[in-house]
């Protein structure tokens, strides 16, 4: 059952779409967004080297489609 907050958000009408949105946010947060406190992404801080270049989102999509 969805919480009241999730009911009013667009794209959150089904559990599957809510999970996809959360997964996309998690990927962006960990692999794309550089954090000001550490000067790099959490993935980079953890030693995960993906060499994503300038367009990190496009690179991640291409990497995911190859598997």
């Amino acid at each position: 059952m969805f919480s009241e907050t999730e009911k009013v958000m667009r794209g959150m009408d089904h559990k599957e779409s809510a999970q996809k949105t959360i997964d996309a946010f998690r990927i962006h947060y960990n692999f794309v967004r550089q954090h000001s406190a550490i000067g790099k992404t959490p993935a980079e801080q953890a030693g995960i080297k993906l060499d994503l270049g300038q367009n990190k989102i496009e690179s991640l999509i291409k990497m995911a489609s190859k598997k």
Side-chain angles (χ1 to χ4, degrees), residues 24-33 35 40-44:
F25 176 78
R26 184 179 297 122
I27 290 167
H28 182 267
Y29 184 89
N30 288 320
F31 294 94
V32 177
R33 181 179 172 265
H35 295 249
K40 50 182 115 176
T41 68
E44 292 168 337

Side-chain angles (χ1 to χ4, degrees), residues 27-28 30-33 41 43-44 48-64:
I27 290 167
H28 182 267
N30 288 320
F31 294 94
V32 177
R33 181 179 172 265
T41 68
E44 292 168 337
I48 300 171
K49 298 184 188 329
L50 296 177
D51 192 28
L52 299 175
Q54 290 291 339
N55 193 335
K56 293 180 180 183
I57 294 173
E58 181 182 359
S59 298
L60 283 169
I61 291 169
K62 286 180 179 179
M63 289 173 67

Side-chain angles (χ1 to χ4, degrees), residues 1 3-4 7 9-11 13 16 21-25 27 30 40 55 58 63-64:
M1 178 121 191
S3 71
E4 292 302 312
K7 285 182 183 179
M9 294 178 68
R10 289 184 181 190
D13 52 346
E16 294 81 19
T21 301
I22 292 167
D23 291 343
F25 176 78
I27 290 167
N30 288 320
K40 50 182 115 176
N55 193 335
E58 181 182 359
M63 289 173 67

Side-chain angles (χ1 to χ4, degrees), residues 1-2 12-20:
M1 178 121 191
F2 290 113
M12 299 287 183
D13 52 346
H14 299 291
K15 186 175 181 177
E16 294 81 19
S17 60
Q19 187 61 54
K20 287 179 182 180

